[in-house]
Amino acid sequence: MRPGDVIGERFEIQRLAGSGGMGAVYRALDRSTGGAVALKILRGGKREDELRLAREARTLADLNHPAVIRYLGQGLTDTGEPFLVTEWLEGEDLGQRLARSVLSMQESVTLARHVADALAAAHARGFVHRDIKPANIFLLGGRVDDVRVLDFGIARSTRATGIVTRTGCLVGTLGYMAPEQARGTHELDARTDIFSLGCILFECLTGRPVFAGEAMLAVIVKILFEEAPRVRDLRADLPAALDDLVARMLCKDPVGRPQDAAQVARELGAILEAAPQVELSATRSPHLTSEEMRPVSVVIATVIPESGAAAPTASESGAQSEPGSGPASGSVSDPLPGRGGTLLFERVSSAVAPLGARLERLPDGSVVATLVAQGSAMEQAMRAARTALAMRAALPEAALVLATGRGS
């Protein structure tokens, strides 16, 4: 596309604003209003990308909230490429803001309240965003009280039936996904977005992610097994009510979280009203805690792909296919499929439980056990080895890996 080209007999291209694997985004002029718009044009013809863009268009067209990016239109170019038109935004996303400094308490709570209001509107319409992260929260003019929630491309309706994800795939962004997402659970609801918002609020307040690691699997294991630290352990100046709310939002079990985003918005509003109207220090906190560091062992069992098959790929965020589009390319075989697999997993769990191991199953069928030191280093090594042997007995065809490090 070149400046001056007109799309849909209405939108005149002004300049290229950005491009990526799915296509390009242009700043364009809406001839009907005279205002600037963002014009996303899909290229490549991948079915899953077309479905993602169509899903985003349907969701945005059904939402009308000041903190959700505004839908303006959709269609096909003269050459048959799908496009989506939304309002043009000037400012920066939250990720860019956090790269400079941690937010004050008032800024953090104000921002989270606006996002919670937007999510409450989406949840009331039956949508779960599934990818709430700093890059998808835009600050108009850099203001925390004027935000837009972006990218509803992998949002799903809780009223929909059928398969939600493809075999062996994660949906969401590592470091911000809920434990049920990391497990590949199909039934996700509003509480999944609440967990992600809790991760963002924690990072805004402390300057550090809740769950971080140098490898994908390390982050997944932390999401599944490691309890989030309390924000008051890192920011002693924060009110107890805020500390309690963040802890509940980050509860591993969805039952322990606030049940909807409207409740989160109400609690954040009450915290703002009760907080002293002073601007707290907005400097980055050191990534240090007073928590005890102890040896932690991790044992992973997984089935190796057949000879010649591609290894499973992992990206930070991935849109999934619609029902019936087939399994993910390169996904590994699930060693525990079906009802028999459930019984086998229960047997593996029973075998490792006496050793103090916690067991989880990942979307690709891998089984992960973690053990925190309860004695000497020798005892820890023995427990880890026995856990690996127990998993080997239950899953004789799986490859095993055992690693030990130090964690809080």
Side-chain angles (χ1 to χ4, degrees):
M1 295 293 171
R2 294 171 299 180
D5 289 347
V6 179
I7 306 299
E9 301 181 350
R10 174 180 171 183
F11 305 105
E12 180 181 337
I13 299 292
Q14 292 182 325
R15 62 176 173 85
L16 177 67
S19 61
M22 286 180 59
V25 177
Y26 296 88
R27 177 187 166 102
L29 174 69
D30 185 349
R31 288 181 163 183
S32 67
T33 65
V37 298
L39 178 68
K40 182 190 297 185
I41 299 180
L42 189 65
R43 295 201 176 108
K46 291 184 180 179
R47 176 63 174 163
E48 62 187 56
D49 292 340
E50 293 178 1
L51 291 170
R52 174 173 179 159
L53 190 71
R55 181 164 53 243
E56 182 173 18
R58 288 195 304 270
T59 305
L60 292 179
D62 199 29
L63 290 174
N64 183 19
H65 190 276
V68 175
I69 188 169
R70 189 168 74 255
Y71 166 88
L72 296 173
Q74 62 179 310
L76 297 175
T77 67
D78 292 340
T79 54
E81 297 166 320
F83 69 83
L84 170 65
V85 185
T86 60
E87 64 177 314
W88 178 260
L89 304 176
E90 293 281 359
E92 63 181 349
D93 66 47
L94 179 59
Q96 294 169 316
R97 173 64 184 275
L98 289 175
R100 296 199 308 272
S101 69
V102 64
L103 304 183
S104 71
M105 189 205 79
Q106 281 82 6
E107 289 174 326
S108 300
V109 175
T110 297
L111 180 143
R113 185 184 183 185
H114 283 289
V115 176
D117 279 334
L119 291 176
H123 296 160
R125 308 284 301 178
F127 296 112
V128 181
H129 189 285
R130 303 200 299 173
D131 197 20
I132 294 297
K133 60 183 178 182
N136 282 339
I137 298 174
F138 198 88
L139 315 181
L140 272 71
R143 293 170 55 91
V144 298
D145 59 351
D146 195 4
V147 306
R148 298 290 188 276
V149 177
L150 313 178
D151 196 357
F152 282 78
I154 62 172
R156 286 290 176 142
S157 172
T158 55
R159 305 185 182 103
T161 59
I163 299 173
V164 173
T165 63
R166 297 182 298 177
T167 303
C169 287
L170 294 177
V171 175
T173 297
L174 287 178
Y176 302 95
M177 66 172 58
E180 58 268 26
Q181 285 178 287
R183 297 187 190 100
T185 303
H186 291 172
E187 295 78 19
L188 304 178
D189 59 25
R191 297 169 296 183
T192 299
D193 287 342
I194 289 171
F195 186 95
S196 300
L197 181 56
C199 292
I200 289 175
L201 183 52
F202 182 100
E203 188 170 352
C204 289
L205 291 166
T206 68
R208 52 164 280 189
V210 187
F211 307 105
E214 295 182 359
M216 181 189 73
L217 191 57
V219 179
I220 292 176
V221 169
K222 288 184 177 184
I223 292 171
L224 292 174
F225 296 107
E226 190 174 276
E227 293 298 329
R230 303 290 293 234
V231 291
R232 290 189 82 185
D233 290 340
L234 302 170
R235 289 277 304 271
D237 56 336
L238 299 178
L242 181 56
D243 179 65
D244 175 70
L245 175 59
V246 175
R248 285 185 285 117
M249 294 173 73
L250 295 175
C251 182
K252 301 290 186 190
D253 186 350
V255 174
R257 299 174 205 155
Q259 297 305 291
D260 56 52
Q263 178 184 342
V264 173
R266 287 192 298 270
E267 293 193 39
L268 289 171
I271 290 168
L272 274 178
E273 291 178 4
Q277 296 303 305
V278 295
E279 193 69 11
L280 300 178
S281 172
T283 57
R284 183 170 296 278
S285 301
H287 292 196
L288 298 175
T289 73
S290 59
E291 295 172 340
E292 180 184 1
M293 300 294 289
R294 292 185 291 172
V296 178
S297 296
V298 179
V299 185
I300 305 169
T302 191
V303 171
I304 299 297
E306 296 179 4
S307 178
T313 60
S315 60
E316 274 200 336
S317 175
Q320 305 308 312
S321 65
E322 295 285 354
S325 64
S329 173
S331 59
V332 302
S333 302
D334 187 341
L336 305 173
R339 174 62 180 163
T342 300
L343 295 174
L344 183 56
F345 181 80
E346 291 174 353
R347 188 158 67 244
V348 176
S349 182
S350 299
V352 301
L355 300 168
R358 294 177 57 189
L359 205 66
E360 290 283 358
R361 182 177 172 186
L362 301 185
D364 67 354
S366 300
V367 179
V368 182
T370 60
L371 304 96
V372 178
Q374 297 177 351
S376 66
M378 179 65 72
E379 291 171 331
Q380 171 76 353
M382 292 293 291
R383 288 172 57 232
R386 291 192 182 107
T387 299
L389 290 173
M391 294 171 69
R392 164 69 71 198
L395 301 171
E397 297 181 358
L400 290 177
V401 61
L402 188 159
T404 298
R406 297 183 68 82
S408 58

